[in-house]
Structure formats: C-alpha cells, structure tokens
Amino acid sequence: MSPDAEQGQVREAIPVHGGLPGHIAIIMDGNGRWAGQRNLPRTAGHREGVGALRAVVTRCVELGIPALTVFAFSSENWRRPRQEVAVLMDVFMMVLNQETRKLHDQGVRLGVIGERSAFSSGLQQKLREAEALTRDNTRMRLTIAANYGGRWDIVQAMRQLAAQVEAGHLASSDIHDSQLAGVLSMADIPDPDLFIRTGGERRISNFLLWQMAYTELYFTDTLWPDFDGAALDAAIQDYAQRQRRFGRTGEQVASLMASRTSG
Ligand code: FPP
C-alpha cells in the first residue's frame, strides 16, 4: 500500500476525536455476584440483567450510537451448571418474546452471532423471526453474541476461505486482512470503537478477538444489573478523552486531525 493510500485509510479509520463511539461492545459481567450479594440465586441476576440491557439499548438509541454488540452467552458458558444454562436459555427466549417488538418500534435491527445450531429449534426459530422483523431498521444495530467465541469466529472464517481456495476461486496469496474480515460474523459492521466490561474483571474472554485490535478498552467494577444509562455516559466520556492512534505517533494523528478540521 502506498504511503498516501495508507494515510487515507488511517484518516478514515480515526473517528472525530471527542466524538461518540460508532460501535460499542459490552461484556455484561457480574450478574451472579449481584444476586449473591442479595442472597438470591444466580439466575435472578441474569433476569435483572435484562433490565440493564434495556436501559443501555435505550440510551444508545437516544445518543445515536449506530451499533451495540453484547456478549450474552459464550462458547465456554456451556460449562456452567445445567440448571443455570437452562435459565440463560429461558432468559434469551424471554428477551426475544418481550423485547423484539419494542426494539422494532425503536428502529433497532437485531442480529445474532454465534453457533446457533446448539440452541433448541424453538429458540432458533425465534431468532430468525426477530431478525426478519427488524431487518430493514436503520437506527441502530443490536447484535447479541450467543454461543459465540472470538476463536470460533476466526476458525469458521478460515474454513470459508479454505473452501474458496479448494474450489479454485481464491489464491492463498490473495488472502489479506480484508478477505478474512469479510467472512467474519460481523463483516458488515465496523469494528468496535469502545469495549466495556462490567463486574471488575480485566479480560476480553474470547469476545471479538479480531475486531478489537484497536478498540479502546473500558473496565468498571459496577456489576451488570447496576449498569445504566448514566454508567454508559461515564464510559463514553472516558472514551472521548482517548487519542486513537492506530499505530501512528501522537503528532501524526494531531496533524491528520488539524487537516481534517481545516478542510
Ligand atoms: C455474566 O455474569 C453474564 C452472563 C453469562 C449472561 C449475560 C446475560 C444477560 C445480561 C441476560 C440478558 C441478555 C440476553 C440478550 C439474553 P456472571 O454470571 O458471570 O456473573 P458473575 O461473574 O458475578 O458470576
């Protein structure tokens, strides 16, 4: 890539400093501890977590955030006690039954990423219906990562590219970042600008591994059921203070920003 072309790409990639993130990704952690602090079963925390998700979706819509992706169930969550997994599936079904219409009315397009074949046929059917109903909405993309893992995503993408190579449609020497990015689960949504993890842990936990290469990371001790619109605002304010460099020096980014402002 020529330096000019590269500069153009970097200029495109750097959002307006101090602006809102275009895509927020969240690990909603701390439901179990929230419930434990109240002597409630862990599953009560998951049910309470639905309210926090509704508050965050509403705030994102108000702010005009174009994309929100939440980690509802990881590929590794099957290791949890069977009864907790069953409740998480119930909660997922309940969210689809109770919230899809509201999301549709808010202009939200719902999508699900992850290996859905492991879900019951009823749940898979509900997912298809929710996606079909909201397909033409343009106000915000809400993506629920369910039975998702970042490594799974990269492996399924690699399999697609390998199949194209086997079929003679693609030369391995023509595989670059964009070919792989093009067959990942969220190929049509820009990479997250801001990642939020609630619940005090400071890990990415196999979430959007490829897509978060340059994402700004924000960790808070707030447990997910206590997270709300004001907490989201605090995370966005923190993000607005960051200078995103995408491998460049601070001076280079400042000069790119100055040239953008001047013309
Ligand atoms: C992590 O908390 C949370 C989950 C594994 C599930 C998240 C699910 C919801 C918030 C329900 C609503 C969302 C949808 C779309 C179904 P944890 O159980 O690991 O908490 P802990 O770290 O305190 O044990």
Side-chain angles (χ1 to χ4, degrees):
M1 194 188 299
S2 75
D4 278 348
E6 194 189 351
Q7 175 156 324
Q9 193 179 67
V10 168
R11 188 198 289 258
E12 284 307 310
I14 297 176
V16 178
H17 185 56
L20 291 168
H23 181 180
I24 301 177
I26 306 182
I27 292 186
M28 310 178 286
D29 197 12
N31 294 344
R33 278 164 286 162
W34 182 93
Q37 287 170 1
R38 289 159 180 79
N39 290 319
L40 295 168
R42 292 176 52 79
T43 49
H46 298 316
R47 295 188 198 284
E48 191 72 18
V50 176
L53 181 56
R54 161 120 307 280
V56 166
V57 168
T58 299
R59 186 67 186 138
C60 283
V61 169
E62 279 169 12
L63 290 171
I65 306 284
L68 171 69
T69 301
V70 295
F71 210 176
F73 192 85
S74 78
S75 320
E76 291 74 31
N77 283 150
W78 296 108
R79 297 174 190 156
R80 293 190 173 207
R82 201 164 4 144
Q83 192 257 352
E84 181 170 340
V85 171
V87 168
L88 278 167
M89 295 299 147
D90 279 356
V91 170
F92 201 0
M93 194 66 141
M94 186 191 81
V95 165
L96 293 169
N97 281 329
Q98 295 181 1
E99 304 288 336
T100 302
R101 189 76 232 173
K102 286 184 227 164
L103 292 170
H104 185 49
D105 292 343
Q106 283 179 300
V108 174
R109 177 175 171 185
L110 186 68
V112 176
I113 55 169
E115 179 54 88
R116 0 173 142 200
S117 59
F119 295 137
S120 71
S121 54
L123 185 52
Q124 290 185 49
Q125 176 64 20
K126 276 272 175 269
L127 294 174
R128 281 193 295 271
E129 285 169 14
E131 286 174 328
L133 176 72
T134 61
R135 190 175 43 212
D136 297 326
N137 294 339
T138 54
R139 201 149 172 216
M140 188 176 87
R141 300 274 303 254
L142 170 63
T143 305
I144 297 176
N147 197 18
Y148 177 87
R151 289 182 177 175
W152 165 84
D153 201 0
I154 293 169
V155 168
Q156 70 77 24
M158 287 304 304
R159 285 196 178 138
Q160 292 189 56
L161 293 183
Q164 291 179 33
V165 172
E166 273 175 5
H169 300 316
L170 179 69
S172 58
S173 55
D174 285 335
I175 298 178
H176 302 287
D177 284 20
S178 57
Q179 277 71 35
L180 186 66
V183 285
L184 288 169
S185 295
M186 285 207 296
D188 58 340
I189 300 180
D191 291 345
D193 299 301
L194 170 62
F195 162 82
I196 299 170
R197 181 175 186 143
T198 61
E201 310 286 356
R202 278 143 177 81
R203 283 191 291 276
I204 290 173
S205 296
N206 198 19
F207 197 17
L208 304 162
L209 297 181
W210 174 278
Q211 298 89 337
M212 296 213 309
Y214 286 101
T215 300
E216 297 294 330
L217 308 181
Y218 178 87
F219 298 97
T220 171
D221 291 338
T222 302
L223 303 175
W224 176 251
D226 292 328
F227 199 82
D228 57 13
L232 182 74
D233 288 353
I236 291 173
Q237 268 164 29
D238 189 279
Y239 165 84
Q241 307 306 315
R242 316 265 181 107
Q243 185 193 52
R244 306 191 68 195
R245 294 204 281 270
F246 297 90
R248 295 306 175 107
T249 67
E251 290 72 23
Q252 285 174 305
V253 173
S255 119
L256 278 169
M257 290 300 157
S259 67
R260 180 188 270 180
T261 319
S262 65

